[in-house]
Each structure stands twice: as structure tokens, then as C-alpha cells.
Amino acid sequence: MMPTRKWIAAAAFTILLAACGKVGDLQPKAGQSMPAKAYGQAEAPGSEELMTPDVQTRPGRSDELMRRSERRRDDPFDLAPGAEADNGDAPAESTAQDPKKPG
């Protein structure tokens, strides 16, 4: 019986907390001003424009499901650290001598 009361109290508190949000336009604090317009803009953005994310900030999402298992294509850039790409050419041999090796 006691856990049920706790759940009811928690649910009531959550509903009351959610109901106390401000509904209205955003305004700067007293004594503060809106952000200045950026270089090249014709006018300063309003609060609604400042709250709307750009496309690059919120990119689209792909929910395409895989229908069947497919092998990955070979990725030449997926290399282990320190590994070199195998493009068919042999690595160039250095003609300079190592100064640490004698003779």
C-alpha cells in the first residue's frame, strides 16, 4: 500500500511541476538586450528565429531498415593506427642513410 502512495505523490508532483512552465514570448532579462545582429544580416533575429535550430544543427534521420544482411564494401580509409594504405605500389625506399646506424 505504501509504494502506491509514493507513486501517486510522485506523479502528482510531476504534473504540478510540468504545469508551472511559462507560456509566452521570450524576453531578455531586465537591463539586458537581445543579441546584436551578425555581420551581413539585414536585421537582428527575433526570439523565435534564435530558438529554431539550423538544418546543420539538427540533421535529418534515416530510419531505413536493413532488409537482409549485406557485406560491407571495402573502405580504403578504414586503417588501423600506423598502417599504410595498400594501393598496389610498394613503399618508396629511402636512399638516405640512418645516422644512428654505423657505416
Side-chain angles (χ1 to χ4, degrees):
M1 183 85 125
M2 197 62 158
T4 306
R5 286 186 183 175
K6 287 183 182 180
W7 281 104
I8 292 172
F13 178 73
T14 304
I15 291 171
L16 288 174
L17 185 63
C20 70
K22 179 180 177 183
V23 180
D25 291 337
L26 296 175
Q27 298 295 329
K29 289 184 180 180
Q32 304 237 342
S33 63
M34 292 288 284
K37 68 177 186 170
Y39 179 77
Q41 280 188 325
E43 57 187 40
S47 60
E48 188 63 35
E49 292 169 338
L50 290 172
M51 294 293 293
T52 305
D54 290 341
V55 174
Q56 289 182 335
T57 307
R58 271 186 94 144
R61 180 176 167 182
S62 173
D63 291 335
E64 183 178 334
L65 300 174
M66 291 182 66
R67 304 248 183 252
R68 62 174 194 256
S69 178
E70 297 174 356
R71 294 189 63 84
R72 286 186 178 184
R73 291 181 286 154
D74 186 29
D75 185 5
F77 298 103
D78 186 22
L79 302 174
E84 292 184 21
D86 183 24
N87 56 4
D89 297 334
E93 294 291 328
S94 175
T95 56
Q97 292 183 355
D98 189 3
K100 295 180 183 175
K101 286 186 180 179

